[in-house]
Amino acid sequence: MNYKSALNNKIFEVVSQASQELHIESYVIGGFVRDLILKRDFKKDIDVVAVGSGIELALKVSELLPKKPKVQVFKNYGTAMLRFEEIDIEFVGGRKESYHFESRNPVVENGTLEDDQNRRDFTINALALSLNKDNFGALSDPFNGLEDMKNKIIKTPLDPDITFSDDPLRMLRAIRFANQLGFEIEKNSLQSITKNADRINIISGERIVDELNKILSTDKPSIGFLLLYKTGILDIILPELTALNQVEEIEGQTHKNNFYHTLEVVDNICPNTDDVWLRWSALLHDIGKAPTKRFNKKQGWTFHGHEFLGGKMTKKIFERLHMPLNHKMKFVRKMVMMSSRPIVLSQDLVTDSAVRRLVFDAGEDVESLMTLCEADITTKNPNKFKKYHHNFELVRKKIVEVEERDHVRNFQPPISGEEIMTIFNLKPSREIGVLKEAVKEAILEGEIPNEHQAAYNFVLKRAEKLGLKINAC
């Protein structure tokens, strides 16, 4: 089979010319070929393997291109990269690899195209298209990857035990590809992932999170997380999540399975947001429920304080997996800690005061919080489902009304501490904080509008109770 007509980007023509001038063979391989055949969107990165020096080939390609793009050389890995028309092209020399048990960093030797295809993770990623003049576009498929594509199968080219033990990250990649492509992992490969699950411990948190982010970015992440759970990997990397997969019964009372509920919430939120950190919030929103679960005869099963504990657990997860501890972590933690607030509002009579506090505490993230809480509606009772969504609509309308009138989303006190010091001729002191807090509470409770004159008059009255007098000057 020949794909010459599909290799219509100028870069392939230039690589072919450079290969000919250097008297080496070159092939485009991996994800580009896979997605080309599957007719998936082009991901703007291309891998080229040279039977020879990938670095020399990259330098020659740059020399032949009109604007001579800069070549990034990675001598330790024998690779080079350049950018052409917003496409990243990575060049590597054909190689064969061997591994030490305690590391996923291989010992590399020069090799043939076949050697390079042998080291690939899956048959569908071992497909290569020739960029050589005599057979340009010809497909090399030594492991029947094309057939596996037709049958929607993820399968390793060699013994899966060797493939996954050598580089355990491939286990996560297998699950991620199965999730992304809607493929099944071949039986022996799936059994091998379960067998080698403990090997995931040698993979860095950053690499693990990169794969988890890609799973969370799919249309239905539950597919990937169920595979992670069934193979035992999830219990190693996110035990806080698998701890939710238990249902207890006492005196005939049970509680829902919060693990499967969580996966349903993650799937529910996906059509409404592409924000991976909001999807993380859905994944972690109930993690505090396992350690806070209690039973008493009056209330049955309770999870008091699970949101607060979940927020603390979120930070520890981010630290353990070397995830960013910046605004992204703070956002996820805030979503987890506030995840029940709109739900409580939707079940009661919605007061302006409660909505003002919700908007004040959530700030710019109130819309994200509402999206998360609506995804949290997983009841199978159609009447309850309709009722809960209707109640959330009422909360949303009330948020708009309160925000337009009271402007508390990015709350700034209408009277500043400096002004209070001037009014009462004070130096920085506890009384100033007390007065500012009283103004904030009065606005949130609806006692006074969020306006300067109202706040000024309120401060004068409250100051009398503290024994403060207006500065006569």
Side-chain angles (χ1 to χ4, degrees):
M1 191 174 295
N2 194 290
Y3 291 85
K4 182 176 180 178
S5 60
L7 299 177
N8 51 19
N9 191 295
K10 179 182 173 67
I11 191 64
F12 297 121
E13 178 189 328
V14 175
V15 174
S16 181
Q17 182 183 342
S19 302
Q20 190 173 11
E21 291 187 19
L22 292 173
H23 304 290
I24 62 175
E25 294 178 11
S26 65
Y27 303 83
V28 58
I29 195 168
F32 173 83
V33 181
R34 178 196 69 230
D35 290 345
L36 176 71
I37 295 170
L38 289 174
K39 297 180 180 177
R40 297 180 78 223
D41 290 341
F42 176 37
K43 294 294 188 295
K44 298 291 183 183
D45 57 74
I46 296 171
D47 293 327
V48 172
V49 61
V51 184
S53 171
I55 294 173
E56 283 185 30
L57 180 58
L59 293 169
K60 189 66 177 178
V61 168
S62 175
E63 181 186 314
L64 295 175
L65 286 169
K67 294 184 180 179
K68 295 181 173 47
K70 181 182 177 182
V71 177
Q72 289 180 279
V73 175
F74 307 95
K75 284 187 178 179
N76 290 345
Y77 299 98
T79 64
M81 181 181 288
L82 62 81
R83 192 169 179 80
F84 171 74
E85 293 182 351
E86 299 186 358
I87 302 170
D88 291 322
I89 305 105
E90 184 170 1
F91 298 82
V92 60
R95 59 192 188 181
K96 50 186 175 181
E97 298 175 342
S98 57
Y99 289 80
H100 295 298
F101 186 77
E102 70 280 357
S103 171
R104 66 176 290 267
N105 296 320
V107 176
V108 177
E109 301 176 54
N110 291 334
T112 63
L113 171 65
E114 290 73 24
D115 289 326
D116 202 85
Q117 289 171 306
N118 285 339
R119 75 179 181 84
R120 298 283 161 172
D121 49 9
F122 310 115
T123 60
I124 62 172
N125 291 336
L127 299 161
L129 296 178
S130 172
L131 299 178
N132 306 302
K133 188 176 180 181
D134 57 344
N135 64 345
F136 189 86
L139 177 68
S140 172
D141 180 15
F143 303 110
N144 294 318
L146 206 58
E147 192 67 21
D148 288 339
M149 273 192 200
K150 290 177 183 175
N151 295 324
K152 297 189 173 184
I153 288 173
I154 304 292
K155 181 180 179 183
T156 60
L158 306 177
D159 181 342
D161 283 342
I162 296 173
T163 297
F164 294 137
S165 182
D166 279 352
D167 184 356
L169 184 65
R170 291 168 176 163
M171 298 189 293
L172 289 180
R173 284 170 58 83
I175 290 169
R176 187 249 295 179
F177 280 125
N179 200 163
Q180 282 181 331
L181 302 176
F183 283 20
E184 286 190 17
I185 302 174
E186 176 261 343
K187 181 180 177 182
N188 289 336
S189 298
L190 188 61
Q191 289 175 345
S192 180
I193 293 174
T194 304
K195 179 180 176 182
N196 289 282
D198 283 344
R199 292 283 288 150
I200 205 69
N201 285 308
I202 72 167
I203 302 299
S204 71
E206 292 90 344
R207 293 279 188 176
I208 289 171
V209 169
D210 185 50
E211 292 301 323
L212 291 180
N213 284 346
K214 289 173 181 175
I215 290 172
L216 278 170
S217 297
T218 62
D219 292 337
K220 194 173 182 181
S222 63
I223 295 170
F225 280 97
L226 283 172
L227 283 170
L228 288 171
Y229 174 71
K230 290 172 182 176
T231 55
I233 291 178
L234 193 62
D235 199 37
I236 298 170
I237 60 178
L238 276 175
E240 298 87 349
L241 203 57
T242 58
L244 298 174
N245 190 18
Q246 51 179 303
V247 177
E248 293 185 62
E249 180 177 343
I250 295 180
E251 297 183 6
Q253 295 190 56
T254 61
H255 57 84
K256 68 184 174 187
N257 186 308
N258 286 301
F259 175 71
Y260 288 97
H261 163 74
T262 291
L263 296 188
E264 195 172 348
V265 174
V266 174
D267 285 350
N268 283 350
I269 208 169
C270 288
N272 300 315
T273 181
D274 292 329
D275 182 354
V276 73
W277 301 109
L278 186 50
R279 294 185 179 197
W280 266 103
S281 303
L283 186 69
L284 302 181
H285 82 285
D286 269 350
I287 54 170
K289 281 192 171 179
T292 58
K293 183 170 64 173
R294 301 288 184 273
F295 179 83
N296 65 62
K297 292 184 178 181
K298 284 187 177 181
Q299 295 177 295
W301 290 102
T302 65
F303 306 90
H304 294 311
H306 78 270
E307 304 95 338
F308 177 74
L309 182 60
K312 294 174 71 173
M313 292 169 70
T314 294
K315 185 180 180 185
K316 289 181 180 178
I317 290 170
F318 271 61
E319 289 172 339
R320 187 180 73 236
L321 294 177
H322 302 136
M323 296 169 74
L325 298 177
N326 54 15
H327 63 281
K328 295 171 182 174
M329 182 278 292
K330 291 176 181 176
F331 169 79
V332 176
R333 183 176 61 185
K334 181 202 278 191
M335 292 297 101
V336 172
M337 292 181 76
M338 295 190 68
S339 58
S340 296
R341 290 273 294 276
I343 294 172
V344 172
L345 276 183
S346 69
Q347 293 170 347
D348 300 322
L349 180 65
V350 186
T351 65
D352 286 5
S353 172
V355 171
R356 269 191 296 270
R357 288 190 177 278
L358 176 71
V359 175
F360 173 77
D361 290 337
E364 288 299 323
D365 300 318
V366 68
E367 181 58 37
S368 295
L369 181 61
M370 291 299 295
T371 300
L372 170 60
C373 291
E374 285 178 327
D376 204 1
I377 302 171
T378 59
T379 177
K380 300 300 180 287
N381 182 312
N383 292 327
K384 285 185 178 180
F385 185 87
K386 185 177 180 180
K387 176 186 173 184
Y388 294 157
H389 275 279
H390 174 70
N391 289 351
F392 269 111
E393 277 303 309
L394 295 179
V395 174
R396 283 183 179 275
K397 288 178 182 177
K398 184 68 79 171
I399 286 173
V400 173
E401 291 172 11
V402 167
E403 176 59 17
E404 286 179 351
R405 184 178 67 241
D406 299 327
H407 311 292
V408 294
R409 183 172 299 207
N410 291 306
F411 181 80
Q412 294 295 327
I415 187 166
S416 68
E418 289 78 6
E419 187 175 356
I420 293 171
M421 285 192 287
T422 302
I423 295 169
F424 300 105
N425 193 25
L426 291 173
K427 292 182 178 179
S429 60
R430 184 186 68 85
E431 286 83 1
I432 296 164
V434 169
L435 288 171
K436 286 180 68 177
E437 181 66 18
V439 170
K440 183 193 84 174
E441 286 296 315
I443 291 170
L444 292 178
E445 285 298 320
E447 295 174 20
I448 62 171
N450 189 6
E451 297 169 359
H452 178 268
Q453 189 60 49
Y456 180 86
N457 294 337
F458 177 85
V459 164
L460 293 183
K461 289 180 181 178
R462 185 55 62 95
E464 287 180 16
K465 295 180 182 179
L466 297 174
L468 299 177
K469 294 182 180 181
I470 298 176
N471 182 7
C473 301

